[in-house]
Amino acid sequence: MPKQAMLNDDEKKRIHHRLRRIIGQVEAIDRMVGEDVQCIEVVMQVSAATGALSKVARLILEDHLKHSLASASMSKSDAERQAILDELIDLIEKYSQT
């Protein structure tokens, strides 16, 4: 199965922006721990960062699903279509366990 470009430039820019924000959140959490901020406040920030990372994962997964399904639908090879679908099923199973 040929390797595909993951995201277009605009999508990459949006993902990078989200990741930079998440990095800032994680750095703030690190400071909070060092400053002995109340646990509940730290946990709330950890939850927010976790949610933000999950959103990034969903955006990337969505893009991959779109490209893979398009490739599968255009393929004339049953074996290639099945390989793409098997890979998607595996990916979804792994993602759903997180």
Side-chain angles (χ1 to χ4, degrees):
M1 182 169 37
K3 206 166 193 171
Q4 305 168 14
M6 185 173 77
L7 302 164
N8 68 39
D9 288 341
D10 287 339
E11 292 164 332
K12 284 180 188 178
K13 188 182 288 186
R14 285 197 313 268
I15 295 293
H16 282 297
H17 180 72
R18 284 178 181 272
L19 289 171
R20 283 191 297 275
R21 246 186 297 146
I22 293 166
I23 290 167
Q25 285 178 297
V26 172
E27 288 171 345
I29 292 166
D30 186 48
R31 282 190 303 275
M32 291 171 77
V33 170
E35 296 169 358
D36 292 325
V37 173
Q38 289 188 350
C39 292
I40 191 67
E41 292 180 39
V42 175
V43 170
M44 287 176 58
Q45 291 305 312
V46 168
S47 179
T50 301
L53 274 174
S54 291
K55 177 64 176 179
V56 168
R58 283 192 307 271
L59 290 171
I60 293 170
L61 178 60
E62 178 183 316
D63 183 76
H64 183 69
L65 287 169
K66 287 177 183 176
H67 286 98
S68 294
L69 290 173
S71 293
S73 70
M74 292 186 299
S75 176
K76 296 184 188 312
S77 164
D78 288 340
E80 184 178 354
R81 275 194 303 276
Q82 190 59 50
I84 292 169
L85 293 175
D86 289 344
E87 184 238 334
L88 290 176
I89 290 167
D90 185 53
L91 179 64
I92 291 168
E93 286 175 352
K94 287 178 184 174
Y95 179 74
S96 66
Q97 293 174 3
T98 59

